[in-house]
Amino acid sequence: MSTQPLLILTPDDLLAARWQALSSSPIRALDIEGLETWRKAGHRLVVIDLGSAPAGSPPLWAHRAWQENAPGLTILATSSRPDDDEGLAVLNAGASGYCHSHAPVDTLLQALEVVASGELWVGRALLSRLLRLVDSRLPRAGLADWARPLTEREREVAHHAAVGESNIAIADALGITERTVKAHLKAVFEKLQVADRLQLALRVHGVR
């Protein structure tokens, strides 16, 4: 359970109840204008149901209240029909995470904890897309800039992971087991002091 005060923005009673059960200090809002009040009160953590936008209206991340207050908030956006393009749009608009509104409770709690800690939460497909975008738009740094602490095999695994390949795909490409891939990735994260694949991708491309 999250110990941070949590604002839940949704008109859906059942959805609100699910999220409220995951916080020791939940508050519910039905209007996106509540973001300003929440931010000015010194709170940060917000869950926004993207389906709460009225039919025919612009998406919530295009709303003035979102754009003006997002820089001072930690937003986890949820959707009952997740879509990679929508996910990219909300992340670009300042959200820290994007997930399915009706994901298992354990997953929702983990998502809350991850964004509250300052990290990014996205699904595997969207993460792979983000990593491919990073790889296509940024030049790779020289090995000396990031890979000195790593073994040759760890460097290979890191390169594959940084462009969005799954553990199974990396295992097949390198002729090793998926379990070995996981062990190498754990070592890579520890040695490079990164928390996830997105941070690894940025490090591989020289962005610290």
Side-chain angles (χ1 to χ4, degrees), residues 42 75 84 103 114 131 133 163 167 173 178 188 199:
I75 298 174
D84 285 355
V114 167
L131 295 180
L133 283 172
V163 295
N167 288 354
E178 188 177 359
V188 168
Q199 289 185 8

Side-chain angles (χ1 to χ4, degrees), residues 11-166:
D12 187 322
D13 293 339
L14 293 178
L15 196 57
R18 279 170 61 84
W19 284 102
Q20 287 172 324
L22 300 178
S23 173
S24 59
S25 305
I27 300 293
R28 183 180 179 188
L30 298 178
D31 192 310
I32 195 169
E33 297 293 347
L35 294 180
E36 183 172 5
T37 300
W38 189 251
R39 179 184 58 78
K40 288 184 175 180
H43 303 312
R44 292 187 58 82
L45 194 55
V46 182
V47 171
I48 298 181
D49 170 21
L50 298 177
S52 61
S57 66
L60 290 181
W61 61 87
H63 196 284
R64 176 197 57 78
W66 177 306
Q67 295 176 352
E68 291 182 356
N69 294 285
L73 298 171
T74 299
I75 298 174
L76 176 60
T78 74
S79 174
S80 59
R81 296 181 180 180
D83 173 82
D84 285 355
D85 288 333
E86 181 181 69
L88 286 173
V90 296
L91 294 175
N92 190 52
S96 297
Y98 178 71
C99 70
H100 198 298
S101 305
H102 300 281
V105 171
D106 288 348
T107 301
L108 299 180
L109 181 57
Q110 187 178 5
L112 272 182
E113 292 174 345
V114 167
V115 299
S117 70
E119 303 297 338
L120 188 70
W121 179 273
V122 294
R124 180 174 296 176
L126 181 54
L127 176 59
S128 293
R129 185 169 174 181
L130 286 170
L131 295 180
R132 289 194 296 271
L133 283 172
V134 169
D135 190 58
S136 67
R137 296 184 181 183
L138 293 176
R140 294 192 185 184
L143 282 179
D145 295 329
W146 65 271
R148 287 177 182 172
L150 307 183
T151 66
E152 183 176 352
R153 179 62 87 186
E154 288 168 353
R155 292 173 184 174
E156 292 176 330
V157 170
H159 272 300
H160 283 281
V163 295
E165 293 186 18
S166 68

